[in-house]
Amino acid sequence: MRVDSLEFIYDDAWGFTACKFDELSFFKKASSAFQIKCECLKCASSSCPKEACDDYHKCNKKTTFEGLKGVDVLLQNNNSLFLVEMKDYRNCSIPPIDHIVSEVAKKFRDTLYVLWCGSQKDEEDDEKRLADSARRKKLGLSFVFHFESSAPAYASGLFSSRRGVIALSSVRDKLAKKLGYMSTHLYVIDMAAMRHSPDLLPWKVEEARP
């Protein structure tokens, strides 16, 4: 399964099934339902398009909402559920860590909400069964952020930044603060860290072939 520049590889023999979360129909429906162009107290309508609002640029009450965001990969078996987000910043000399962490935390949070929505579908189909099964795995829920950076591939997972050298464990600490109680089973890894601990997670990540 290709995710941008990376290849997500899992073995059916391990009993896992995987899918790209943003390709599920209930995610697309939930995400589009949350698209809001503006909310303006000066307009006749509480929600209006830009071209219909004379005071759009003056209104200090207008807000934009980018919709819901989901993780890249949903991986589960009978006992476990992994929400996996993958980002490749190897072409960026100074990754914007705080922005990245906030975006990833939002993706984890939104994914859980969308799974709940998907489990409430009226139609009994494979997607509803997938969402309902995923929603029920409370004890086997893990969050995984796979983060490739511009640093050499050290086993300790270091990357360079303006503040010097920061370990992947520091990124995990920042993300854990965003997730609160959900951070009990949180992993922040890269390909080097996975090679150093090959049994840490039940899949591999490699460079995607052209």
Side-chain angles (χ1 to χ4, degrees):
M1 179 185 299
R2 181 166 181 163
V3 181
D4 298 328
S5 61
L6 303 171
E7 191 75 25
F8 184 89
I9 304 169
Y10 68 100
D11 192 335
D12 292 339
W14 297 336
F16 282 96
T17 58
C19 67
K20 288 188 175 182
F21 190 71
D22 61 3
E23 293 181 356
L24 298 174
S25 63
F26 62 79
F27 169 77
K28 295 177 181 178
K29 183 176 181 180
S31 182
S32 62
F34 269 73
Q35 296 290 342
I36 301 173
K37 291 189 176 180
C38 82
E39 293 177 353
C40 177
L41 297 181
K42 296 181 181 180
C43 300
S45 172
S46 61
S47 179
C48 63
K50 178 178 178 180
E51 59 271 16
C53 180
D54 293 335
D55 292 322
Y56 181 83
H57 293 291
K58 300 177 184 178
C59 179
N60 59 6
K61 296 294 184 181
K62 72 175 184 294
T63 61
T64 57
F65 192 86
E66 56 188 355
L68 297 170
K69 292 189 174 184
V71 296
D72 290 314
V73 178
L74 196 70
L75 183 86
Q76 67 172 323
N77 65 4
N78 291 333
N79 302 311
S80 303
L81 171 67
F82 293 91
L83 307 187
V84 186
E85 175 62 17
M86 304 171 70
K87 289 188 177 297
D88 187 352
Y89 273 82
R90 285 175 292 181
N91 293 327
C92 179
S93 59
I94 306 175
I97 300 303
D98 290 340
H99 171 75
I100 293 170
V101 166
S102 295
E103 182 179 3
V104 172
K106 173 178 169 55
K107 288 192 173 190
F108 286 148
R109 181 198 65 192
D110 287 0
T111 298
L112 292 177
Y113 170 73
V114 174
L115 284 173
W116 185 90
C117 290
S119 70
Q120 306 302 308
K121 288 178 61 177
D122 293 332
E123 306 91 344
E124 282 290 342
D125 55 17
D126 289 341
E127 286 198 359
K128 178 174 181 175
R129 285 187 285 272
L130 180 149
D132 191 54
S133 174
R135 183 177 62 85
R136 295 174 184 274
K137 291 185 176 65
K138 296 179 181 179
L139 298 179
L141 175 63
S142 297
F143 302 90
V144 183
F145 176 32
H146 188 107
F147 180 42
E148 294 295 330
S149 68
S150 54
Y154 298 127
S156 55
L158 303 179
F159 63 90
S160 61
S161 77
R162 184 171 295 174
R163 294 183 296 277
V165 177
I166 301 177
L168 288 179
S169 58
S170 297
V171 180
R172 186 196 180 283
D173 291 342
K174 288 176 177 287
L175 189 52
K177 289 180 180 179
K178 297 282 187 181
L179 295 177
Y181 291 118
M182 293 195 301
S183 64
T184 304
H185 299 287
L186 169 64
Y187 303 87
V188 178
I189 57 174
D190 60 6
M191 285 187 287
M194 295 189 78
R195 287 192 294 269
H196 187 256
S197 303
D199 298 326
L200 181 64
L201 295 166
W203 64 82
K204 297 188 298 181
V205 174
E206 298 178 355
E207 296 281 359
R209 296 179 180 179

